[in-house]
């Protein structure tokens, strides 16, 4: 994302070059031996990144209107405008306002008001909860370039817990779909697992956000298109959504601009062709693969133990980083894939979780490579 969207490097708080995955029994796999030379996982704060993107949009000619959108009036006919109703929060004064627009991009998150107004359909959501904790200097030095992921029923029944280094603190959190009322207990679990490594820290901020579990039933309705979390573009296996938000926004904007330049209008058919088809061709299969991966390995502690055991394999790490860093299903080496398949089976046999899901996972992966 840094390269593709020209994000300045000085926005990066930390450059993670070491990643550790810990199983329910605290078996640790150092998941960074295969990180390409010079590569790193950048850690940014969203408020810093978002502020930069807003300033860049304004510099490029966008008119920023600070305020809270309250409703969206739909057009009576194909040539009529949408009416965006909002409450202004600008420095010049508060008050109600209305914008008349030709098309709308709903980039307003998992609880998208735009999606509700156009009847885009619902979806299930997870909750991500985290505390920003400022650590003593010695403890912060431990996490200087290290990120940790914890799996186990004590931190999440269907996701993972994390300790990620940020600017002058660490982000400690967890997420879940099935046990949202128990999120505070699960947060206590990740803090207990991290234990003495975050001892003496002071909580400076608490955050909680909904995370979509799958794409909405309708992502384009009329001249309204949904992108990012509003569309449901978050990978279940990792919970990552920021790259896919930026990518979907760009694809959608390009589709609108191209159709407008060609015909002088934006249409639902044009958005489906220029935006949705491009998105699905590039990412749909990867999302399905990661969805199945999550069901196989996060369903119980036995599967989580097998996952961490596999994470120690250098070939697994290399394939994972290639796919993660470049956001595509990367073709593997035939003999390496065969060895990986048998290692997967062996790990899951030892942990007692082999079944039809594993075969489905492999078939989906082979389909990706054949295309």
């Amino acid at each position: 994302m840094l390269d593709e969207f020209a994000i300045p490097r000085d926005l990066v708080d930390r450059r993670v070059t070491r990643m550790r995955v810990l199983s329910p029994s605290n078996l640790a796999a150092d998941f960074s031996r295969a990180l390409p030379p010079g590569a790193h996982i950048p850690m940014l704060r969203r408020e810093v990144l978002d502020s930069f993107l807003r300033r860049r949009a304004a510099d490029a000619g966008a008119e920023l209107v600070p305020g809270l959108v309250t409703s969206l009036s739909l057009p009576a006919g194909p040539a009529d405008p949408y009416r965006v109703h909002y409450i202004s929060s600008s420095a010049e004064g508060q008050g109600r306002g209305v914008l008349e627009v030709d098309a709308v991009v709903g980039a307003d998150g998992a609880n998208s008001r735009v999606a509700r107004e156009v009847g885009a359909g619902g979806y299930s959501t997870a909750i991500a909860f985290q505390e920003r904790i400022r650590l003593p200097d010695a403890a912060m030095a431990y996490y200087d370039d290290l990120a940790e992921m914890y799996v186990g029923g004590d931190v999440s029944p269907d996701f993972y817990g994390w300790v990620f280094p940020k600017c002058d603190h660490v982000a400690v959190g967890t997420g879940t779909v099935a046990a949202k009322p128990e999120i505070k207990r699960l947060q206590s679990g990740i803090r207990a697992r991290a234990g003495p490594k975050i001892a003496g820290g002071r909580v400076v901020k608490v955050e909680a956000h909904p995370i979509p579990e799958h794409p909405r039933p309708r992502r384009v309705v009329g001249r309204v298109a949904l992108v990012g979390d509003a569309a449901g573009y978050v990978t279940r296996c990792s919970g990552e959504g920021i790259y896919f938000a930026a990518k979907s926004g760009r694809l959608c904007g390009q589709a609108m601009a191209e159709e407008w330049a060609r015909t002088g209008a934006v249409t639902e058919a044009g958005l489906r062709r220029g935006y949705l088809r491009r998105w699905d061709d590039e990412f749909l299969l990867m999302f399905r693969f990661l969805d199945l991966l999550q069901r196989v390995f996060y369903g119980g502690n036995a599967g989580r133990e097998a996952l961490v055991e596999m994470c120690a394999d250098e070939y697994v790490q290399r394939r994972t980083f290639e796919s993660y860093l470049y956001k595509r299903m990367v073709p593997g080496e035939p003999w390496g894939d065969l060895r990986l398949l048998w290692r997967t089976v062996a790990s899951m046999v030892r942990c007692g979780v082999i079944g039809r899901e594993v075969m489905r996972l492999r078939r989906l992966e082979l389909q990706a490579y054949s295309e």
Side-chain angles (χ1 to χ4, degrees), residues 3-31:
D3 293 334
E4 185 173 347
F5 295 92
I7 306 299
R9 297 304 196 267
D10 60 6
L11 298 187
V12 177
D13 290 331
R14 300 272 176 174
R15 291 168 172 80
V16 168
T17 57
R18 297 183 298 140
M19 179 168 285
R20 188 166 296 143
V21 186
L22 294 99
S23 77
S25 64
N26 277 328
L27 170 71
D30 287 323
F31 199 70

Side-chain angles (χ1 to χ4, degrees), residues 31 36 89-90 148-150 189 194 226 234 237 265 298 304 324 349 351 358 364:
F31 199 70
S89 58
S90 68
E148 291 182 329
M149 297 172 58
Y150 294 80
L226 302 175
V234 175
C237 194
Y298 286 4
R304 298 178 188 115
Y324 173 77
V349 166
C351 297
V358 181
L364 196 56

